[in-house]
Amino acid sequence: MNVQYISNQQGKRTAVVVPIKEWNKIKKKLDLPDDESVADEDVQLTKEQLIADVKEALEEVKLHKQGKIKLQSLDEFLNEL
């Protein structure tokens, strides 16, 4: 997959650019609507779920830095969907 990263002035990655062909595959795997006019509340996570997901991700990063787990690549993640 040919993704591009956008970094801020400090070099921290702040965004990812995914080719439209790949994005369409991701949307299909995630069963996201094709209609861009869908109301935001139809595709947004609840605040509680978002917080739980971020906490889980931060814990995984902590374990990775300690050498206890290996993080997935984007391709590995997408193949799970």
Side-chain angles (χ1 to χ4, degrees), residues 51-62 71:
I51 291 170
D53 290 347
V54 169
K55 285 180 179 179
E56 181 181 352
L58 291 172
E59 183 62 28
E60 288 178 4
V61 169
K62 179 181 171 184
L71 296 179

Side-chain angles (χ1 to χ4, degrees):
M1 176 178 299
N2 184 21
V3 298
Q4 296 175 332
Y5 298 95
I6 298 173
S7 302
N8 64 16
Q9 292 177 343
Q10 291 77 33
K12 181 179 178 185
R13 290 180 179 173
T14 58
V16 177
V17 178
V18 179
I20 194 69
K21 185 176 179 180
E22 295 298 326
W23 174 243
N24 288 331
K25 288 179 187 178
I26 293 168
K27 286 191 343 183
K28 185 175 181 178
K29 285 183 178 184
L30 293 176
D31 197 27
L32 295 176
D34 288 329
D35 184 3
E36 300 297 332
S37 65
V38 174
D40 287 347
E41 61 270 8
D42 291 340
V43 293
Q44 285 185 342
L45 294 174
T46 64
K47 180 179 178 181
E48 293 80 16
Q49 184 61 50
L50 179 60
I51 291 170
D53 290 347
V54 169
K55 285 180 179 179
E56 181 181 352
L58 291 172
E59 183 62 28
E60 288 178 4
V61 169
K62 179 181 171 184
L63 292 171
H64 172 71
K65 286 182 177 181
Q66 294 172 353
K68 295 181 179 178
I69 65 169
K70 179 181 179 263
L71 296 179
Q72 289 181 314
S73 69
L74 180 58
D75 285 332
E76 290 168 335
F77 170 76
L78 294 175
N79 287 334
E80 279 187 3
L81 301 179

